[in-house]
Amino acid sequence: MRTNEVIEGLRGAGYLATKEIAYAVGGMLVQNIPLLVEGDPGCGKTCLAEAVAKMMHAKLLRVQFYEGLDYQSLIYSFDYERQLLAIEAMRGALDRELAGKSLPEAMEIAAKISFRSRDFLIARPVLQALEAKERCVLLLDEVDKSSEEVEYILLQVLGEYAVTIPEIGTIACPEERRPLIFLTSNRYRELSDATKRRCSYLYIRRKTAEEMKEILMLDGSIPEKAAAWAAQCLERMQNLALKREPSVPEAKAWIRELLSREDPDPEAGLYLLAKTPEDAKKIRASGILRQMPEVGA
């Protein structure tokens, strides 16, 4: 896809892309290399993957990473309850077949029964993406919050679009159905060189006031004057060293709340923007929100 086509496609999906973002996404679509996206919280990393899925009319499979995430939650596990049910169902038949058998004979028969076969496998999001009948988007969100061990588990997926299950073997995705893989990171920790080598890279910078204004106006529900004022407020907040800067969805919810009120109070509406007492105090002390113009039209 041409860069302009990607920009328009993402705009149609509700995402305002810069030329840099569109170029990275276009390259990903052509070369099908996983894309590692970094940037400040709330800059639009997750929304980019969601917008690409919408633009491509593809299913989105998302894994939210966190400390303690393990292989079984990420790729596959075995259905313990189904295994127990199978054992119960087979018990009578086994009792009859093993009756009168010596211990070696009984063990030989039992060894032929596998409860770790494909019939008992539960596919988690990563394996679901590799086995999907149609090309999908796989979002590995906030990879930096997981352990290095979990990150290394992903290397085969990122490099070969495959996973190896000891009891079954290697499951590889056909090239024409390989998922579009997005990894996002807030740089909570540095990702390994091995992961970076398998990915292309995009850093999403902070939005300017003009860009934020356009983003707020994308769905047509926020008037231009309101969007311009809110965007200026958000840009000034970037200089307050907040613990957590408001994201674009939070900003949209905030300005919509103000527009719905007969007596809008920007500071009272801070519950939609500031998520810590310290941030709310800084925003109030800055005076950014004290002078709200008539923004309803």
Side-chain angles (χ1 to χ4, degrees):
M1 295 178 70
R2 295 179 181 272
T3 302
N4 287 341
E5 292 176 335
V6 176
I7 290 175
E8 290 305 312
L10 290 175
R11 179 183 284 274
Y15 192 94
L16 183 68
T18 63
K19 184 176 181 180
E20 182 181 17
I21 291 173
Y23 207 84
V25 170
M28 179 191 194
L29 295 176
V30 173
Q31 300 187 49
N32 208 6
I33 299 173
L35 179 61
L36 169 60
V37 187
E38 292 189 334
D40 293 332
C43 70
K45 301 183 295 295
T46 299
C47 291
L48 177 59
E50 294 170 344
V52 169
K54 187 175 180 180
M55 178 181 73
M56 301 297 292
H57 303 289
K59 182 178 181 180
L60 175 69
L61 292 169
R62 177 179 177 179
V63 181
Q64 179 63 53
F65 283 67
Y66 56 87
E67 289 186 28
L69 180 72
D70 59 16
Y71 192 90
Q72 292 187 349
S73 301
L74 186 62
I75 299 183
Y76 76 94
S77 63
F78 285 102
D79 192 335
Y80 179 66
E81 291 185 1
R82 191 174 182 186
Q83 289 171 334
L84 291 178
L85 289 172
I87 290 171
E88 286 296 320
M90 295 170 63
R91 181 167 294 173
L94 279 173
D95 287 344
R96 290 190 295 272
E97 187 171 353
L98 298 178
K101 297 289 193 302
S102 65
L103 180 58
E105 291 172 332
M107 291 181 65
E108 185 178 348
I109 293 172
K112 296 177 182 179
I113 303 171
S114 174
F115 293 102
R116 298 180 74 82
S117 65
R118 189 57 197 259
D119 292 336
F120 298 98
L121 191 72
I122 299 176
R124 302 303 182 187
V126 171
L127 184 54
Q128 289 175 23
L130 296 179
E131 293 190 309
K133 299 301 181 184
E134 296 182 355
R135 196 181 192 193
C136 64
V137 173
L138 175 62
L139 170 58
L140 306 176
D141 212 8
E142 298 185 312
V143 176
D144 53 320
K145 289 187 177 179
S146 66
S147 66
E148 291 183 5
E149 289 78 7
V150 169
E151 184 186 338
Y152 278 104
I153 288 170
L154 290 171
L155 295 182
Q156 186 182 20
V157 176
L158 299 177
E160 304 171 25
Y161 291 86
V163 295
T164 297
I165 301 174
E167 299 86 353
I168 296 173
T170 298
I171 299 174
C173 182
E175 187 170 353
E176 68 276 7
R177 295 207 304 268
R178 287 181 172 181
L180 297 167
I181 302 179
F182 285 86
L183 299 85
T184 73
S185 169
N186 295 322
R187 299 183 67 87
Y188 178 78
R189 68 172 175 83
E190 191 73 19
L191 298 181
S192 70
D193 288 341
T195 294
K196 292 178 179 179
R197 282 196 299 270
R198 288 163 172 79
C199 302
S200 53
Y201 180 81
L202 172 66
Y203 182 84
I204 299 181
R205 57 171 173 77
R206 286 177 167 181
K207 303 290 190 294
T208 65
E210 187 60 33
E211 288 171 336
M212 285 188 281
K213 171 189 166 184
E214 286 191 59
I215 292 170
L216 292 173
M217 292 177 60
L218 271 180
D219 64 3
S221 65
I222 299 174
E224 182 176 0
K225 193 173 180 180
W229 173 77
Q232 289 171 4
C233 292
L234 293 169
E235 186 179 51
R236 292 176 64 188
M237 288 179 198
Q238 294 176 355
N239 299 318
L240 297 180
L242 301 177
K243 288 187 174 180
R244 184 183 179 281
E245 290 184 12
S247 67
V248 171
E250 289 168 334
K252 284 185 176 180
W254 172 66
I255 193 63
R256 284 172 180 156
E257 167 71 3
L258 295 180
L259 292 170
S260 71
R261 298 272 187 169
E262 292 183 3
D263 56 341
D265 185 338
E267 290 193 354
L270 268 179
Y271 69 94
L272 290 167
L273 289 181
K275 303 302 171 69
T276 71
E278 294 81 7
D279 283 354
K281 184 177 179 179
K282 285 182 179 180
I283 294 172
R284 288 193 177 97
S286 71
I288 290 173
L289 305 181
R290 286 179 191 156
Q291 298 299 320
M292 181 180 175
E294 293 292 333
V295 296

mmCIF file of all heavy atoms in Angstrom, residues 147-184:
data_model
loop_
_atom_site.group_PDB
_atom_site.id
_atom_site.type_symbol
_atom_site.label_atom_id
_atom_site.label_comp_id
_atom_site.label_asym_id
_atom_site.label_seq_id
_atom_site.Cartn_x
_atom_site.Cartn_y
_atom_site.Cartn_z
ATOM 1 N N SER A 147 8.371 -10.893 32.180
ATOM 2 C CA SER A 147 9.746 -11.289 32.481
ATOM 3 C C SER A 147 10.529 -11.537 31.202
ATOM 4 O O SER A 147 9.952 -11.718 30.119
ATOM 5 C CB SER A 147 9.753 -12.569 33.320
ATOM 6 O OG SER A 147 9.251 -13.656 32.559
ATOM 7 N N GLU A 148 11.849 -11.547 31.313
ATOM 8 C CA GLU A 148 12.690 -11.851 30.162
ATOM 9 C C GLU A 148 12.439 -13.270 29.671
ATOM 10 O O GLU A 148 12.539 -13.544 28.477
ATOM 11 C CB GLU A 148 14.160 -11.663 30.536
ATOM 12 C CG GLU A 148 14.547 -10.206 30.781
ATOM 13 C CD GLU A 148 16.020 -10.041 31.083
ATOM 14 O OE1 GLU A 148 16.749 -11.056 31.014
ATOM 15 O OE2 GLU A 148 16.437 -8.924 31.398
ATOM 16 N N GLU A 149 12.110 -14.185 30.590
ATOM 17 C CA GLU A 149 11.844 -15.571 30.199
ATOM 18 C C GLU A 149 10.649 -15.644 29.236
ATOM 19 O O GLU A 149 10.684 -16.355 28.235
ATOM 20 C CB GLU A 149 11.570 -16.434 31.438
ATOM 21 C CG GLU A 149 12.782 -16.711 32.303
ATOM 22 C CD GLU A 149 13.152 -15.526 33.198
ATOM 23 O OE1 GLU A 149 12.386 -14.533 33.232
ATOM 24 O OE2 GLU A 149 14.215 -15.598 33.842
ATOM 25 N N VAL A 150 9.602 -14.883 29.551
ATOM 26 C CA VAL A 150 8.427 -14.872 28.681
ATOM 27 C C VAL A 150 8.770 -14.238 27.338
ATOM 28 O O VAL A 150 8.330 -14.703 26.279
ATOM 29 C CB VAL A 150 7.260 -14.115 29.355
ATOM 30 C CG1 VAL A 150 6.124 -13.869 28.364
ATOM 31 C CG2 VAL A 150 6.739 -14.901 30.550
ATOM 32 N N GLU A 151 9.582 -13.194 27.379
ATOM 33 C CA GLU A 151 9.999 -12.546 26.138
ATOM 34 C C GLU A 151 10.735 -13.526 25.232
ATOM 35 O O GLU A 151 10.505 -13.563 24.016
ATOM 36 C CB GLU A 151 10.895 -11.346 26.456
ATOM 37 C CG GLU A 151 11.304 -10.550 25.244
ATOM 38 C CD GLU A 151 12.305 -9.447 25.578
ATOM 39 O OE1 GLU A 151 12.368 -9.035 26.756
ATOM 40 O OE2 GLU A 151 13.038 -9.022 24.668
ATOM 41 N N TYR A 152 11.610 -14.351 25.810
ATOM 42 C CA TYR A 152 12.368 -15.308 24.997
ATOM 43 C C TYR A 152 11.470 -16.411 24.441
ATOM 44 O O TYR A 152 11.791 -16.988 23.390
ATOM 45 C CB TYR A 152 13.520 -15.896 25.812
ATOM 46 C CG TYR A 152 14.730 -14.996 25.843
ATOM 47 C CD1 TYR A 152 15.028 -14.245 26.962
ATOM 48 C CD2 TYR A 152 15.554 -14.864 24.731
ATOM 49 C CE1 TYR A 152 16.125 -13.384 26.990
ATOM 50 C CE2 TYR A 152 16.658 -14.020 24.736
ATOM 51 C CZ TYR A 152 16.936 -13.286 25.871
ATOM 52 O OH TYR A 152 18.007 -12.441 25.874
ATOM 53 N N ILE A 153 10.369 -16.697 25.121
ATOM 54 C CA ILE A 153 9.416 -17.667 24.602
ATOM 55 C C ILE A 153 8.873 -17.218 23.242
ATOM 56 O O ILE A 153 8.565 -18.035 22.366
ATOM 57 C CB ILE A 153 8.256 -17.863 25.607
ATOM 58 C CG1 ILE A 153 8.739 -18.653 26.828
ATOM 59 C CG2 ILE A 153 7.064 -18.560 24.957
ATOM 60 C CD1 ILE A 153 7.731 -18.693 27.965
ATOM 61 N N LEU A 154 8.800 -15.909 23.065
ATOM 62 C CA LEU A 154 8.205 -15.355 21.851
ATOM 63 C C LEU A 154 9.135 -15.361 20.641
ATOM 64 O O LEU A 154 8.699 -15.099 19.521
ATOM 65 C CB LEU A 154 7.763 -13.906 22.111
ATOM 66 C CG LEU A 154 6.573 -13.714 23.048
ATOM 67 C CD1 LEU A 154 6.410 -12.234 23.371
ATOM 68 C CD2 LEU A 154 5.305 -14.270 22.417
ATOM 69 N N LEU A 155 10.411 -15.624 20.843
ATOM 70 C CA LEU A 155 11.370 -15.481 19.754
ATOM 71 C C LEU A 155 11.030 -16.357 18.556
ATOM 72 O O LEU A 155 11.158 -15.927 17.407
ATOM 73 C CB LEU A 155 12.784 -15.777 20.257
ATOM 74 C CG LEU A 155 13.341 -14.804 21.304
ATOM 75 C CD1 LEU A 155 14.770 -15.177 21.672
ATOM 76 C CD2 LEU A 155 13.267 -13.366 20.812
ATOM 77 N N GLN A 156 10.618 -17.586 18.793
ATOM 78 C CA GLN A 156 10.255 -18.463 17.681
ATOM 79 C C GLN A 156 9.040 -17.925 16.937
ATOM 80 O O GLN A 156 8.961 -17.987 15.706
ATOM 81 C CB GLN A 156 9.984 -19.892 18.172
ATOM 82 C CG GLN A 156 9.740 -20.874 17.029
ATOM 83 C CD GLN A 156 9.411 -22.282 17.526
ATOM 84 O OE1 GLN A 156 9.007 -22.467 18.681
ATOM 85 N NE2 GLN A 156 9.573 -23.269 16.665
ATOM 86 N N VAL A 157 8.098 -17.363 17.686
ATOM 87 C CA VAL A 157 6.900 -16.782 17.074
ATOM 88 C C VAL A 157 7.278 -15.590 16.204
ATOM 89 O O VAL A 157 6.843 -15.473 15.057
ATOM 90 C CB VAL A 157 5.894 -16.344 18.160
ATOM 91 C CG1 VAL A 157 4.688 -15.648 17.523
ATOM 92 C CG2 VAL A 157 5.442 -17.529 18.985
ATOM 93 N N LEU A 158 8.125 -14.704 16.725
ATOM 94 C CA LEU A 158 8.494 -13.489 16.007
ATOM 95 C C LEU A 158 9.368 -13.787 14.789
ATOM 96 O O LEU A 158 9.273 -13.099 13.779
ATOM 97 C CB LEU A 158 9.226 -12.535 16.955
ATOM 98 C CG LEU A 158 8.446 -12.050 18.174
ATOM 99 C CD1 LEU A 158 9.331 -11.183 19.059
ATOM 100 C CD2 LEU A 158 7.199 -11.281 17.759
ATOM 101 N N GLY A 159 10.228 -14.793 14.906
ATOM 102 C CA GLY A 159 11.156 -15.079 13.819
ATOM 103 C C GLY A 159 10.658 -16.072 12.803
ATOM 104 O O GLY A 159 10.967 -15.971 11.604
ATOM 105 N N GLU A 160 9.861 -17.044 13.248
ATOM 106 C CA GLU A 160 9.453 -18.137 12.356
ATOM 107 C C GLU A 160 7.940 -18.274 12.216
ATOM 108 O O GLU A 160 7.466 -19.105 11.455
ATOM 109 C CB GLU A 160 10.016 -19.467 12.889
ATOM 110 C CG GLU A 160 11.527 -19.475 13.074
ATOM 111 C CD GLU A 160 11.999 -20.725 13.802
ATOM 112 O OE1 GLU A 160 11.290 -21.750 13.734
ATOM 113 O OE2 GLU A 160 13.047 -20.661 14.463
ATOM 114 N N TYR A 161 7.175 -17.501 12.973
ATOM 115 C CA TYR A 161 5.717 -17.638 13.001
ATOM 116 C C TYR A 161 5.346 -19.090 13.307
ATOM 117 O O TYR A 161 4.528 -19.713 12.621
ATOM 118 C CB TYR A 161 5.099 -17.177 11.688
ATOM 119 C CG TYR A 161 5.202 -15.676 11.484
ATOM 120 C CD1 TYR A 161 6.345 -15.110 10.919
ATOM 121 C CD2 TYR A 161 4.179 -14.824 11.882
ATOM 122 C CE1 TYR A 161 6.461 -13.737 10.752
ATOM 123 C CE2 TYR A 161 4.286 -13.456 11.710
ATOM 124 C CZ TYR A 161 5.427 -12.918 11.152
ATOM 125 O OH TYR A 161 5.539 -11.561 10.988
ATOM 126 N N ALA A 162 5.961 -19.600 14.355
ATOM 127 C CA ALA A 162 5.747 -20.992 14.740
ATOM 128 C C ALA A 162 5.948 -21.144 16.247
ATOM 129 O O ALA A 162 6.571 -20.295 16.897
ATOM 130 C CB ALA A 162 6.721 -21.907 13.998
ATOM 131 N N VAL A 163 5.383 -22.224 16.797
ATOM 132 C CA VAL A 163 5.632 -22.604 18.190
ATOM 133 C C VAL A 163 5.900 -24.103 18.229
ATOM 134 O O VAL A 163 5.350 -24.862 17.427
ATOM 135 C CB VAL A 163 4.448 -22.266 19.122
ATOM 136 C CG1 VAL A 163 4.220 -20.768 19.211
ATOM 137 C CG2 VAL A 163 3.175 -22.967 18.670
ATOM 138 N N THR A 164 6.738 -24.488 19.151
ATOM 139 C CA THR A 164 7.032 -25.906 19.316
ATOM 140 C C THR A 164 6.445 -26.387 20.631
ATOM 141 O O THR A 164 6.742 -25.831 21.693
ATOM 142 C CB THR A 164 8.556 -26.164 19.303
ATOM 143 O OG1 THR A 164 9.073 -25.780 18.022
ATOM 144 C CG2 THR A 164 8.849 -27.637 19.536
ATOM 145 N N ILE A 165 5.594 -27.400 20.533
ATOM 146 C CA ILE A 165 4.978 -28.014 21.706
ATOM 147 C C ILE A 165 5.608 -29.394 21.861
ATOM 148 O O ILE A 165 5.451 -30.244 20.976
ATOM 149 C CB ILE A 165 3.454 -28.129 21.528
ATOM 150 C CG1 ILE A 165 2.863 -26.719 21.311
ATOM 151 C CG2 ILE A 165 2.808 -28.805 22.736
ATOM 152 C CD1 ILE A 165 1.385 -26.732 20.976
ATOM 153 N N PRO A 166 6.360 -29.636 22.923
ATOM 154 C CA PRO A 166 7.117 -30.889 23.062
ATOM 155 C C PRO A 166 6.291 -32.145 22.809
ATOM 156 O O PRO A 166 6.755 -33.093 22.180
ATOM 157 C CB PRO A 166 7.616 -30.826 24.511
ATOM 158 C CG PRO A 166 7.718 -29.367 24.804
ATOM 159 C CD PRO A 166 6.577 -28.736 24.072
ATOM 160 N N GLU A 167 5.061 -32.166 23.323
ATOM 161 C CA GLU A 167 4.235 -33.368 23.200
ATOM 162 C C GLU A 167 3.647 -33.556 21.801
ATOM 163 O O GLU A 167 3.160 -34.640 21.465
ATOM 164 C CB GLU A 167 3.074 -33.319 24.212
ATOM 165 C CG GLU A 167 3.506 -33.271 25.668
ATOM 166 C CD GLU A 167 3.788 -31.848 26.144
ATOM 167 O OE1 GLU A 167 3.780 -30.907 25.302
ATOM 168 O OE2 GLU A 167 4.018 -31.673 27.358
ATOM 169 N N ILE A 168 3.649 -32.497 20.995
ATOM 170 C CA ILE A 168 2.982 -32.548 19.698
ATOM 171 C C ILE A 168 3.941 -32.286 18.547
ATOM 172 O O ILE A 168 3.884 -32.925 17.497
ATOM 173 C CB ILE A 168 1.814 -31.527 19.668
ATOM 174 C CG1 ILE A 168 0.767 -31.929 20.702
ATOM 175 C CG2 ILE A 168 1.198 -31.441 18.273
ATOM 176 C CD1 ILE A 168 -0.340 -30.911 20.876
ATOM 177 N N GLY A 169 4.834 -31.319 18.718
ATOM 178 C CA GLY A 169 5.758 -30.942 17.661
ATOM 179 C C GLY A 169 5.635 -29.458 17.327
ATOM 180 O O GLY A 169 5.064 -28.686 18.094
ATOM 181 N N THR A 170 6.158 -29.062 16.185
ATOM 182 C CA THR A 170 6.144 -27.665 15.783
ATOM 183 C C THR A 170 4.904 -27.356 14.967
ATOM 184 O O THR A 170 4.567 -28.070 14.019
ATOM 185 C CB THR A 170 7.399 -27.320 14.960
ATOM 186 O OG1 THR A 170 8.558 -27.527 15.771
ATOM 187 C CG2 THR A 170 7.368 -25.868 14.507
ATOM 188 N N ILE A 171 4.224 -26.280 15.343
ATOM 189 C CA ILE A 171 3.054 -25.802 14.615
ATOM 190 C C ILE A 171 3.446 -24.489 13.948
ATOM 191 O O ILE A 171 3.766 -23.509 14.630
ATOM 192 C CB ILE A 171 1.856 -25.589 15.554
ATOM 193 C CG1 ILE A 171 1.457 -26.915 16.217
ATOM 194 C CG2 ILE A 171 0.674 -24.994 14.795
ATOM 195 C CD1 ILE A 171 0.369 -26.776 17.268
ATOM 196 N N ALA A 172 3.470 -24.482 12.629
ATOM 197 C CA ALA A 172 3.901 -23.305 11.869
ATOM 198 C C ALA A 172 2.731 -22.730 11.094
ATOM 199 O O ALA A 172 1.869 -23.465 10.597
ATOM 200 C CB ALA A 172 5.032 -23.669 10.917
ATOM 201 N N CYS A 173 2.721 -21.423 10.977
ATOM 202 C CA CYS A 173 1.661 -20.737 10.240
ATOM 203 C C CYS A 173 2.049 -20.624 8.767
ATOM 204 O O CYS A 173 3.164 -20.194 8.445
ATOM 205 C CB CYS A 173 1.441 -19.347 10.840
ATOM 206 S SG CYS A 173 0.123 -18.411 10.044
ATOM 207 N N PRO A 174 1.149 -20.981 7.841
ATOM 208 C CA PRO A 174 1.440 -20.797 6.412
ATOM 209 C C PRO A 174 1.737 -19.330 6.113
ATOM 210 O O PRO A 174 1.130 -18.435 6.716
ATOM 211 C CB PRO A 174 0.145 -21.252 5.727
ATOM 212 C CG PRO A 174 -0.525 -22.135 6.720
ATOM 213 C CD PRO A 174 -0.168 -21.588 8.061
ATOM 214 N N GLU A 175 2.663 -19.082 5.209
ATOM 215 C CA GLU A 175 3.117 -17.711 4.958
ATOM 216 C C GLU A 175 1.976 -16.775 4.581
ATOM 217 O O GLU A 175 1.946 -15.622 5.008
ATOM 218 C CB GLU A 175 4.175 -17.722 3.853
ATOM 219 C CG GLU A 175 4.836 -16.372 3.639
ATOM 220 C CD GLU A 175 6.032 -16.452 2.721
ATOM 221 O OE1 GLU A 175 6.436 -17.573 2.349
ATOM 222 O OE2 GLU A 175 6.556 -15.385 2.369
ATOM 223 N N GLU A 176 1.020 -17.254 3.800
ATOM 224 C CA GLU A 176 -0.058 -16.381 3.336
ATOM 225 C C GLU A 176 -1.045 -16.010 4.439
ATOM 226 O O GLU A 176 -1.847 -15.088 4.284
ATOM 227 C CB GLU A 176 -0.809 -17.026 2.163
ATOM 228 C CG GLU A 176 -1.625 -18.268 2.519
ATOM 229 C CD GLU A 176 -0.796 -19.547 2.540
ATOM 230 O OE1 GLU A 176 0.444 -19.456 2.408
ATOM 231 O OE2 GLU A 176 -1.402 -20.637 2.673
ATOM 232 N N ARG A 177 -0.992 -16.731 5.569
ATOM 233 C CA ARG A 177 -1.917 -16.437 6.672
ATOM 234 C C ARG A 177 -1.194 -15.897 7.904
ATOM 235 O O ARG A 177 -1.791 -15.811 8.973
ATOM 236 C CB ARG A 177 -2.696 -17.699 7.050
ATOM 237 C CG ARG A 177 -3.620 -18.208 5.961
ATOM 238 C CD ARG A 177 -4.799 -18.971 6.538
ATOM 239 N NE ARG A 177 -4.399 -20.069 7.396
ATOM 240 C CZ ARG A 177 -4.218 -21.324 7.007
ATOM 241 N NH1 ARG A 177 -4.387 -21.638 5.735
ATOM 242 N NH2 ARG A 177 -3.866 -22.268 7.859
ATOM 243 N N ARG A 178 0.076 -15.563 7.765
ATOM 244 C CA ARG A 178 0.819 -15.083 8.924
ATOM 245 C C ARG A 178 0.174 -13.832 9.514
ATOM 246 O O ARG A 178 -0.151 -12.890 8.783
ATOM 247 C CB ARG A 178 2.269 -14.798 8.537
ATOM 248 C CG ARG A 178 3.082 -16.058 8.309
ATOM 249 C CD ARG A 178 4.523 -15.733 7.945
ATOM 250 N NE ARG A 178 5.336 -16.945 7.909
ATOM 251 C CZ ARG A 178 6.633 -16.959 7.640
ATOM 252 N NH1 ARG A 178 7.262 -15.816 7.367
ATOM 253 N NH2 ARG A 178 7.297 -18.096 7.636
ATOM 254 N N PRO A 179 0.001 -13.797 10.820
ATOM 255 C CA PRO A 179 -0.642 -12.630 11.440
ATOM 256 C C PRO A 179 0.245 -11.396 11.394
ATOM 257 O O PRO A 179 1.473 -11.495 11.309
ATOM 258 C CB PRO A 179 -0.862 -13.093 12.888
ATOM 259 C CG PRO A 179 0.213 -14.101 13.129
ATOM 260 C CD PRO A 179 0.379 -14.823 11.816
ATOM 261 N N LEU A 180 -0.395 -10.232 11.461
ATOM 262 C CA LEU A 180 0.332 -8.978 11.622
ATOM 263 C C LEU A 180 0.576 -8.808 13.121
ATOM 264 O O LEU A 180 -0.374 -8.692 13.895
ATOM 265 C CB LEU A 180 -0.493 -7.811 11.080
ATOM 266 C CG LEU A 180 -0.796 -7.854 9.577
ATOM 267 C CD1 LEU A 180 -1.863 -6.833 9.221
ATOM 268 C CD2 LEU A 180 0.469 -7.608 8.774
ATOM 269 N N ILE A 181 1.835 -8.819 13.528
ATOM 270 C CA ILE A 181 2.161 -8.807 14.953
ATOM 271 C C ILE A 181 2.643 -7.435 15.388
ATOM 272 O O ILE A 181 3.617 -6.903 14.857
ATOM 273 C CB ILE A 181 3.226 -9.872 15.285
ATOM 274 C CG1 ILE A 181 2.743 -11.266 14.869
ATOM 275 C CG2 ILE A 181 3.556 -9.845 16.769
ATOM 276 C CD1 ILE A 181 3.759 -12.374 15.139
ATOM 277 N N PHE A 182 1.955 -6.866 16.365
ATOM 278 C CA PHE A 182 2.367 -5.620 16.997
ATOM 279 C C PHE A 182 2.849 -5.924 18.411
ATOM 280 O O PHE A 182 2.193 -6.669 19.151
ATOM 281 C CB PHE A 182 1.194 -4.638 17.102
ATOM 282 C CG PHE A 182 0.810 -3.983 15.810
ATOM 283 C CD1 PHE A 182 -0.067 -4.606 14.940
ATOM 284 C CD2 PHE A 182 1.306 -2.734 15.475
ATOM 285 C CE1 PHE A 182 -0.439 -4.000 13.746
ATOM 286 C CE2 PHE A 182 0.941 -2.116 14.282
ATOM 287 C CZ PHE A 182 0.075 -2.753 13.419
ATOM 288 N N LEU A 183 3.978 -5.365 18.785
ATOM 289 C CA LEU A 183 4.443 -5.390 20.164
ATOM 290 C C LEU A 183 4.475 -3.944 20.647
ATOM 291 O O LEU A 183 4.982 -3.062 19.937
ATOM 292 C CB LEU A 183 5.845 -5.991 20.301
ATOM 293 C CG LEU A 183 6.082 -7.433 19.857
ATOM 294 C CD1 LEU A 183 6.375 -7.494 18.358
ATOM 295 C CD2 LEU A 183 7.241 -8.045 20.632
ATOM 296 N N THR A 184 3.937 -3.674 21.825
ATOM 297 C CA THR A 184 4.035 -2.324 22.368
ATOM 298 C C THR A 184 4.864 -2.349 23.646
ATOM 299 O O THR A 184 4.901 -3.357 24.359
ATOM 300 C CB THR A 184 2.658 -1.711 22.679
ATOM 301 O OG1 THR A 184 2.097 -2.343 23.842
ATOM 302 C CG2 THR A 184 1.719 -1.861 21.498
#
